[in-house]
Amino acid sequence: MVIQRRISWKRYLLAAILTAIIFSFGLTLGMLLDEERSNWAKQINDEQIINYESLQLQYLYLSTLENESCAVMNAALEESVYELNKALNDLLGYKEETSFEEYDFTLIERNYLLSNLKYWLFAEKTKKICQSDMVTILYFYSDDCLSCPDQGVILSYFKKKLDNKLLVFPINVDLEGQEYIIKILKSQYNVSNEELPSIIINEKTYKGVVQKEELGEILCELFENSEIC
Amino acid sequence: MVNFSETILWVLYIASLYFTIFWILVFLSSRKKFIKERNVSKLSKFPFISIIIPAYNEEVAIESTIKSVLNLNYPKDKLEVIVVNDGSVDNTQKVVERFIKRNKNNKVKLINQENQGKAKSLNNALNVVNGEFFACLDADSFVQRDTLKKMILTYHKYNDKDLVIVTPAMKIKKPKNLVQKLQRVEYFVMMFVARLMSSIDCIYVAPGPFSLYKTQVIRDLGGFDEHNLTEDQEIAYRVQKNHYRIKQCYNAYVYTGAPKSIPTLYKQRNRWFKGGLFNIIKYKKIMFNKEYGDFGMMQMMMNAFYFVLSLFAVSLFGYYFIWPFLKGIRNFYLVGFDWRPYITDIINFELKFMNINVEKVFILISVLTLSLIIFFIAHRNADESIKKHGTIYLFLYFFIYYIGLGIIEVIVLFEYLIGKRQKW
């Protein structure tokens, strides 16, 4: 006895079509948004350039004045470095989540790196002119260094705790092929790619992850006002 | 940067979306056929029916179970009860013997056997069954008075000699704690899905409590498999394999006891899933076999694919939730668990819209919405209201219970792969 059992081919097909429709709708939405996102990334980048310009103009102006302008200068510096790091973090988060071509980001990342270094130089000068009670840290890391995220966590902890007293300038050594300045800094501070993460505090190089307690002690010694420790 | 986990995620999304849409299409095309059996008074022919009660150490509940069967809305002379005492070490035997002595006008039989498990109990009873149909009722289950009539009506309605099992609609008996209340929700969904499967002849489990079998055919097929973890699933697969049909009686409600704690639930589900896996493998030849219609082309594939899906889902859950969670704890440890600096973060929390992968979120929302729709229909189908029981279980069910079940499926898969067998 041959029994013909029903196969609802039409239903399989219809389900497949509906799935494809919903799926491609989502995909289109994503693609539209991807374009939106890259515009947004570019815009952030442009903003950063303008920010830097305005900060530099401020610096030029402020450096002609006497020391009483330091409060203004510090505030401007703090604001800009905060914005810069936030934008960089957003960018990295976005980079993780997207399927966008990589080189677009390299350009923007390079821009952030250069801005960071400019701010660093500016911060060092401000420190000297204003005798501000603040500490700057150069933070060398790379994308494939396993213990770097740990150092990042500890640094951002202190950044949050000390607020405007501490300025952290991250440097991604993966970009050294494009930016010669990284090589210069590395040789000046005796940093090698095998010993990442490395941080530079007050001209001194610390290799490997500096734990919370140790970093706390180092920072405390550098602040004139030791109450914050 | 499309990596491995990303690809898996897409497969998971698309497959779940496809299956969900498939069932919604089934629902849309067959919902008019979901006619509940209402006119039990119209039933005029009463076939003889045997109710088998397997009992292991049930001295407390056995008498009331027998009484509940005898109290069914069905002619007394068309009903017999067969209690199978599966080697109880308590007074089950005495209690039943005493009951038989006191109620001689009812047809109640007692079979005593050594402890040999449920399938063997059913087979021993099957040898002496007089009914044209038989059902089995565990001592911890309870049947509404009209259920049997409704199921007979279902047999009459289809009037199909190949229809050999009518399954009931199972609910949880008096759910008290959280674990049981979550299962209550789950049973509504299972009931609804069984309803859909029934309409395209894809039922692959005839629930132990009160499925109504056609005696002669089950005997011809060789009775129940005594070496199977889930004999109620195995018999359904065997019935499907022999091109017989299984239908659900939409409102034949049976209330069954459910595990109260997570360990007992785990044990039950581990057995169910393992049995499911063994039966899929046992009947793998049905898969993608056109001869078996939708059961072979869709249902078998879905049953097998759910194991793969749960494997994907659990690993993704680990990757996207557990791993970041552990990383968060480690990061917290790195800063000596000093939480004070992070308060401002929580206050200034902002969702970075641009960092959200819209495609994924969109499909996730689609699947969730469709599941919610199914969920609401399932409640309505089970003659229950969501409001009455609270929506909190709905969320727990979606976001925790499913993952829990998925983890059990993955464990079962691994146990199977390393060759660990389990006895009933």
Side-chain angles (χ1 to χ4, degrees):
Chain A
M1 181 176 62
V2 178
I3 294 176
Q4 201 54 53
R5 287 175 71 161
R6 211 164 61 94
I7 305 176
S8 36
W9 291 116
K10 273 187 196 160
R11 202 176 280 138
Y12 300 171
L13 190 69
L14 190 57
I17 291 170
L18 287 175
T19 308
I21 289 174
I22 294 181
F23 180 64
S24 51
F25 186 70
L27 215 64
T28 320
L29 208 70
M31 261 150 67
L32 288 176
L33 238 108
D34 245 1
E35 204 170 306
E36 204 57 25
R37 278 182 194 140
S38 95
N39 289 338
W40 163 81
K42 281 195 188 91
Q43 195 194 333
I44 296 267
N45 197 33
D46 291 346
E47 268 174 30
Q48 225 51 61
I49 293 165
I50 299 283
N51 276 355
Y52 174 71
E53 297 272 329
S54 73
L55 197 64
Q56 209 163 36
L57 189 65
Q58 280 174 53
Y59 172 69
L60 279 174
Y61 176 68
L62 294 169
S63 60
T64 63
L65 298 175
E66 296 303 312
N67 287 2
E68 62 262 28
S69 321
C70 277
V72 185
M73 218 151 93
N74 274 331
L77 181 72
E78 184 215 328
E79 176 76 7
S80 300
V81 172
Y82 172 75
E83 287 295 328
L84 183 72
N85 283 338
K86 191 168 151 291
L88 184 64
N89 282 336
D90 286 357
L91 181 81
L92 292 177
Y94 171 44
K95 195 175 140 187
E96 260 177 33
E97 265 300 321
T98 192
S99 48
F100 224 48
E101 298 100 285
E102 214 168 316
Y103 95 100
D104 264 330
F105 288 111
T106 320
L107 278 183
I108 300 173
E109 271 183 271
R110 276 173 67 185
N111 231 321
Y112 282 133
L113 175 85
L114 294 182
S115 304
N116 252 320
L117 289 176
K118 283 173 186 169
Y119 282 126
W120 171 64
L121 291 171
F122 181 62
E124 291 291 314
K125 275 185 189 168
T126 312
K127 225 162 73 175
K128 272 177 200 141
I129 294 172
C130 302
Q131 271 103 45
S132 350
D133 191 12
M134 68 174 178
V135 172
T136 57
I137 297 181
L138 272 184
Y139 166 42
F140 290 88
Y141 72 100
S142 81
D143 284 342
D144 45 8
C145 139
L146 290 176
S147 54
C148 286
D150 287 358
Q151 189 68 77
V153 168
I154 294 166
L155 283 173
S156 54
Y157 165 79
F158 280 106
K159 177 73 201 125
K160 283 184 208 302
K161 193 174 173 186
L162 302 171
D163 211 17
N164 53 2
K165 302 272 187 213
L166 178 70
L167 295 178
V168 179
F169 299 93
I171 297 169
N172 185 352
V173 298
D174 294 336
L175 298 172
E176 71 181 327
Q178 290 103 334
E179 298 297 344
Y180 195 68
I181 179 78
I182 297 177
K183 280 192 179 141
I184 298 174
L185 286 171
K186 270 172 67 184
S187 72
Q188 190 195 336
Y189 292 111
N190 191 24
V191 172
S192 81
N193 286 0
E194 285 73 42
E195 291 161 314
L196 295 175
S198 293
I199 56 178
I200 319 296
I201 308 174
N202 207 21
E203 306 287 311
K204 202 174 162 212
T205 306
Y206 300 85
K207 292 171 180 180
V209 178
V210 182
Q211 296 297 342
K212 182 202 163 195
E213 286 73 23
E214 196 190 345
L215 189 61
E217 278 166 27
I218 296 167
L219 290 173
C220 280
E221 272 175 33
L222 291 172
F223 286 117
E224 285 159 28
N225 178 2
S226 54
E227 267 174 42
I228 52 168
C229 295
Chain B
M1 284 184 291
V2 179
N3 56 27
F4 186 60
S5 75
E6 200 99 313
T7 318
I8 289 179
L9 190 64
W10 282 114
V11 173
L12 183 71
Y13 274 149
I14 294 170
S16 348
L17 191 62
Y18 181 80
F19 289 145
T20 313
I21 290 176
F22 176 80
W23 285 121
I24 286 180
L25 290 177
V26 173
F27 172 70
L28 290 177
S29 64
S30 60
R31 74 197 146 134
K32 285 195 183 120
K33 292 183 212 150
F34 288 166
I35 301 159
K36 291 172 180 169
E37 312 294 352
R38 302 229 181 260
N39 303 313
V40 286
S41 55
K42 279 188 184 162
L43 189 68
S44 54
K45 270 168 66 186
F46 298 98
F48 196 85
I49 286 168
S50 307
I51 310 287
I52 303 169
I53 305 176
Y56 175 69
N57 293 348
E58 297 286 0
E59 61 179 10
V60 182
I62 191 70
E63 195 167 337
S64 64
T65 310
I66 300 172
K67 277 180 184 163
S68 81
V69 171
L70 294 174
N71 201 27
L72 285 173
N73 180 12
Y74 204 80
K76 296 280 170 288
D77 57 327
K78 298 282 190 183
L79 205 59
E80 71 170 353
V81 177
I82 301 169
V83 180
V84 186
N85 173 23
D86 187 20
S88 299
V89 292
D90 66 351
N91 285 323
T92 304
Q93 185 178 345
K94 278 185 190 162
V95 172
V96 178
E97 279 168 353
R98 197 180 59 201
F99 183 88
I100 293 173
K101 230 176 249 175
R102 287 186 193 164
N103 303 272
K104 280 193 173 143
N105 45 349
N106 289 310
K107 296 190 180 80
V108 181
K109 281 184 209 164
L110 174 66
I111 298 174
N112 288 304
Q113 65 174 42
E114 278 172 36
N115 186 264
Q116 285 164 305
K118 194 171 166 186
K120 182 75 183 166
S121 309
L122 296 179
N123 282 339
N124 281 344
L126 190 57
N127 288 334
V128 298
V129 156
N130 292 310
E132 183 184 342
F133 300 98
F134 75 92
C136 141
L137 187 68
D138 298 319
D140 69 338
S141 300
F142 163 79
V143 182
Q144 278 189 343
R145 283 199 71 216
D146 281 340
T147 295
L148 190 53
K149 273 192 179 175
K150 287 174 185 166
M151 293 173 96
I152 294 296
L153 271 177
T154 303
Y155 269 111
H156 283 304
K157 184 173 78 184
Y158 286 101
N159 191 23
D160 178 352
K161 67 174 172 49
D162 289 329
L163 177 59
V164 300
I165 305 178
V166 167
T167 68
M170 281 216 296
K171 289 185 180 182
I172 299 281
K173 188 171 76 179
K174 292 176 196 144
K176 288 197 181 74
N177 62 16
L178 181 70
V179 176
Q180 287 181 320
K181 282 178 178 168
L182 284 172
Q183 288 177 83
R184 184 181 56 87
V185 173
E186 183 194 21
Y187 273 52
F188 293 158
V189 176
M190 290 201 299
M191 188 195 300
F192 179 59
V193 172
R195 202 151 293 190
L196 297 174
M197 291 192 293
S198 173
S199 72
I200 55 170
D201 286 324
C202 280
I203 291 184
Y204 64 92
V205 54
F210 225 71
S211 286
L212 191 59
Y213 303 90
K214 197 174 261 180
T215 311
Q216 194 50 51
V217 175
I218 301 300
R219 272 187 190 146
D220 291 347
L221 290 177
F224 293 90
D225 183 351
E226 288 164 19
H227 307 287
N228 204 282
L229 285 169
T230 46
E231 79 287 333
D232 52 354
Q233 219 181 74
E234 199 278 337
I235 191 71
Y237 271 108
R238 193 138 37 99
V239 160
Q240 289 281 7
K241 185 174 181 269
N242 289 283
H243 298 301
Y244 288 109
R245 296 172 76 195
I246 306 172
K247 290 286 181 191
Q248 188 197 39
C249 177
Y250 302 136
N251 58 343
Y253 294 122
V254 171
Y255 296 82
T256 185
K260 284 189 193 71
S261 65
I262 292 175
T264 47
L265 179 68
Y266 169 80
K267 245 176 122 175
Q268 182 198 44
R269 295 315 163 97
N270 187 294
R271 182 173 66 82
W272 284 10
F273 292 147
K274 206 169 281 172
L277 190 60
F278 283 139
N279 285 324
I280 291 168
I281 294 164
K282 184 172 176 183
Y283 291 100
K284 60 177 182 289
K285 280 187 182 153
I286 297 180
M287 208 184 295
F288 300 122
N289 189 335
K290 279 187 194 167
E291 204 187 315
Y292 294 95
D294 284 332
F295 187 75
M297 298 304 287
M298 186 56 87
Q299 190 64 51
M300 279 297 281
M301 196 256 299
M302 240 187 269
N303 289 356
F305 203 62
Y306 274 126
F307 280 95
V308 185
L309 274 186
S310 61
L311 187 63
F312 286 171
V314 168
S315 28
L316 285 170
F317 180 75
Y319 181 78
Y320 284 104
F321 293 97
I322 305 286
W323 178 241
F325 180 73
L326 293 176
K327 219 157 71 179
I329 289 189
R330 178 178 154 70
N331 288 347
F332 207 35
Y333 159 78
L334 282 173
V335 299
F337 295 106
D338 183 5
W339 47 270
R340 282 162 297 174
Y342 297 98
I343 294 177
T344 48
D345 272 18
I346 297 164
I347 296 167
N348 300 329
F349 177 77
E350 55 172 320
L351 194 62
K352 287 170 192 152
F353 181 66
M354 287 297 176
N355 287 354
I356 295 173
N357 186 318
V358 185
E359 304 94 301
K360 280 183 211 156
V361 172
F362 179 77
I363 291 188
L364 190 66
I365 288 173
S366 312
V367 172
L368 267 181
T369 314
L370 292 178
S371 317
L372 274 178
I373 292 171
I374 290 185
F375 187 82
F376 278 96
I377 304 170
H379 269 72
R380 221 181 47 197
N381 253 300
D383 297 328
E384 301 273 351
S385 87
I386 287 184
K387 273 187 202 157
K388 193 178 131 196
H389 302 292
T391 43
I392 177 83
Y393 300 108
L394 187 150
F395 290 102
L396 289 176
Y397 178 70
F398 266 123
F399 296 109
I400 296 179
Y401 194 74
Y402 262 170
I403 288 295
L405 291 185
I407 290 171
I408 300 176
E409 285 204 20
V410 171
I411 292 173
V412 164
L413 212 55
F414 275 108
E415 281 177 354
Y416 173 76
L417 290 175
I418 60 173
K420 187 180 161 191
R421 308 281 159 133
Q422 181 194 320
K423 289 254 162 167
W424 217 92

